[in-house]
Amino acid sequence: MRKLLVVVAAAALALTACGSEDAGGGGKATITFWDNNGGPGRTPIYEELIKRFESTNPDVHVEYVGIPSASVQQKYDTAIAGGETPDVGGVTTSYLSNLVGQDALLPLDDRITGGPLKDKLLPSLVETVRQTSPDGKLYSVPTSGNMDLIWYRTDLFQAAGVEPPKTWDEFVNAATKLTDAGANKYGYTIRGGAGSVFQLITEAYSYSGVDNFFKDGKSTLNDKANAELVDKVADLYKKATPEADVNNSYTQMVAQFTGGSVAMMHHNLGSSGDVTKAFADKVAAIPLPVGPNGKRTVVPNPTDGFAVFKNSKNPDAAWKFAEFLASSESNSYWNEKVGQIPANTDVRSAAWIDTNKPVKMALGVLEDPDTVIVPAPVYLPQYSSITKTDSEPQYQKVLLGELSAQQFLDDVAKKLTEAQKEWEDRK
């Protein structure tokens, strides 16, 4: 059965990859849309949005193809190589530059500024998209953002008489006070395994307040203040965290937290469903704490959006659909369902924003003019390998006391500097 499903899926991709004038749309302009995170949770949302779009645009038929997020980048690369791209595709800034580098996408600046989306997109999300392209153009219309935060158990904090931490020193004190190792109770759970270093980077810059990932072409990751934060987190390991945390992936970390023995966890809005299901109103979220200078510094998560592929036979219809998905009504519907930050600023007044406290809090941080946004260089082709394959085992050595935080960051910063130089040379 599994082999059969793979064959059927491959056939569907081959048949629906490239937009056509009539591919079952009854003479209508037909466009193909690839959902970059297809599955039971999100596919029905798109099915509803497509139904709404087609009802108001009877001259356009949308073919939906859901692609699992784990394989979507490879699918895009294969489609580009074969000239079989979709008309519209969901993308994130983590691989947008790869698509731009293959000359696969249309720039959308003029379409955005010349239509109803002009001045309606959250500037911080627009900037994260613009940064990914060597020419500074927008090759994706941003629709959703995410932000790292601290989930905490309100009941445990109240019982211990501890206030939610606003600074990293308060965070360390809270984690220590809420720990009773003999009773298997811990103040914090660390992500020490897969995906750990990106989270660590967001913590480091939130503490140091360093306002740029590169200065004079060199990575600032090994700034001494960033190393101070890594030391603070490593010092908590096994003292205020479970010993098993050194191997925690996302799934294991969330299991630690939702199991009820941990008071705080660092993740993002994406774990909202898991934590609220486990604790209902006994869990809340706060921004990552600030460092000694009191400056709110945020390293944003990759931004989600929609791109129009250059190979589209119906680029105007493709843009019309992408523009519809970014409209206030669609953007509100989508982000309310998935619990993320809407890019369309008109959604700020939607009723659901007031009831979704984590999203409202995250929006407030991003809209605050005093917040400093430090986009990570996800546009670098080597960024993923540097921060995952190369760095995660080394971070585990830091947690185990086998490598100093400064040495660890020096090594990562050197690789990022080299990757940035290569990027600049290609530009």
Side-chain angles (χ1 to χ4, degrees), residues 205-280:
Y205 282 91
S206 73
Y207 175 83
S208 69
V210 173
D211 60 7
N212 206 304
F213 223 97
F214 293 97
K215 184 176 181 180
D216 298 327
K218 295 184 178 180
S219 172
T220 59
L221 184 59
N222 61 339
D223 186 274
K224 290 183 178 180
N226 285 339
E228 286 178 19
L229 183 281
V230 176
D231 277 328
K232 287 179 182 292
V233 174
D235 284 344
L236 290 174
Y237 175 61
K238 289 198 301 185
K239 299 175 184 175
T241 77
E243 185 173 358
D245 281 6
V246 69
N247 294 312
N248 272 357
S249 64
Y250 163 74
T251 303
Q252 294 161 324
M253 177 182 67
V254 172
Q256 287 271 30
F257 184 66
T258 57
S261 62
V262 173
M264 291 186 290
M265 174 184 74
H266 166 198
H267 193 237
N268 56 44
L269 292 167
S271 49
S272 178
D274 289 325
V275 300
T276 54
K277 181 180 179 180
F279 303 118

Side-chain angles (χ1 to χ4, degrees), residues 128-211:
T128 63
V129 174
R130 195 180 295 283
Q131 189 207 35
T132 63
S133 61
D135 57 10
K137 294 180 180 179
L138 291 174
Y139 289 90
S140 166
V141 53
T143 51
S144 288
N146 204 340
M147 194 176 83
D148 279 51
L149 40 78
I150 301 292
W151 292 103
Y152 72 100
R153 290 278 304 278
T154 56
D155 55 337
L156 299 183
F157 271 72
Q158 290 169 0
V162 178
E163 291 294 319
K166 296 180 180 179
T167 69
W168 277 103
D169 285 342
E170 291 176 0
F171 175 88
V172 170
N173 291 336
T176 303
K177 188 171 183 178
L178 290 163
T179 296
D180 182 353
N184 195 36
K185 300 292 183 182
Y186 297 94
Y188 185 48
T189 178
I190 291 175
R191 185 173 183 172
S196 59
V197 173
F198 182 77
Q199 285 193 190
L200 184 68
I201 288 172
T202 66
E203 294 169 359
Y205 282 91
S206 73
Y207 175 83
S208 69
V210 173
D211 60 7

Side-chain angles (χ1 to χ4, degrees), residues 14-15 53 76 91 179 197 310 327 347 362 388 397 409 418:
L15 288 171
F53 173 77
Y76 278 139
V91 297
T179 296
V197 173
K310 185 175 287 189
S327 67
V347 183
K388 291 181 65 63
K397 291 182 179 180
L409 293 183
E418 292 170 352

Side-chain angles (χ1 to χ4, degrees), residues 336-355:
E336 180 181 11
K337 293 291 185 182
V338 301
Q340 291 191 347
I341 303 166
N344 193 307
T345 54
D346 284 346
V347 183
R348 188 67 176 83
S349 59
W352 69 268
I353 296 290
D354 286 330
T355 59

Side-chain angles (χ1 to χ4, degrees), residues 1 4 20 56-57 59 64 74 76 95 101 108 121 138 163 178 190 282 310 312 314 319 390 396 403 412:
M1 177 62 72
L4 176 61
S20 64
T56 56
N57 296 274
D59 58 332
Y64 170 87
Q74 179 184 357
Y76 278 139
Y95 51 81
L108 303 176
L121 300 172
L138 291 174
E163 291 294 319
L178 290 163
I190 291 175
K282 295 180 181 179
K310 185 175 287 189
S312 173
N314 296 295
W319 167 248
D390 296 350
Q396 290 179 321
L403 181 69
V412 181

Side-chain angles (χ1 to χ4, degrees), residues 286-319:
I286 54 175
L288 293 187
V290 299
N293 66 6
K295 184 190 301 182
R296 176 75 63 198
T297 308
V298 173
V299 178
N301 279 232
T303 299
D304 290 316
F306 300 102
V308 175
F309 282 78
K310 185 175 287 189
N311 198 41
S312 173
K313 292 184 175 65
N314 296 295
D316 291 339
W319 167 248

